[in-house]
Amino acid sequence: QRQMCIRDSLTSIRNIGPVQQKALTAVGITTAAQLYELGADAAYTKLLQSGTKPHFIMYYVLHMALQGRPWNDCKGAEKQQLRERFDAIKSTAFDADRSALEEILNRIGVIAVKP
């Protein structure tokens, strides 16, 4: 493996493409070194807190990328463990914000419209 430069782009990491690079850059993660330092869980939490819609595949691809593994290498018990971590992060970083918003909307009288 080659030595990583502090300014290496995010796309220098296996499995990180332009779309994920754009999302990470939007939350202040602009280099490969920053992503490695933060780790997948903290980086994904930042994405959710910025309004990114939760997506399990994006989460585990981030984990595989930081390990230098193919994205589709995640299987079995490892995938199940990552799913549990994803659900916990989602619950804390995304669902909590939605609940707060729903509470405010309920207080001011906004109701859901049935299709």
Side-chain angles (χ1 to χ4, degrees), residues 12 19 24 26 33 41 47 49 64 68 71-72 80 86-87 91 94 111 115:
S12 68
V19 171
L24 291 165
D41 287 356
L47 289 169
Q49 289 171 336
M64 298 297 102
W71 70 270
N72 57 356
Q80 181 57 42
F86 167 82
D87 288 341
S91 173
F94 187 79
I111 60 171

Side-chain angles (χ1 to χ4, degrees), residues 38-78:
L38 266 178
D41 287 356
Y44 196 75
T45 298
K46 286 181 81 135
L47 289 169
L48 292 183
Q49 289 171 336
S50 77
T52 298
K53 185 177 176 183
H55 197 281
F56 178 55
I57 294 172
M58 179 189 253
Y59 173 73
Y60 78 72
V61 165
L62 203 49
H63 273 277
M64 298 297 102
L66 293 179
Q67 295 174 34
R69 295 166 56 194
W71 70 270
N72 57 356
D73 195 35
C74 187
K75 295 180 173 82
E78 179 183 30

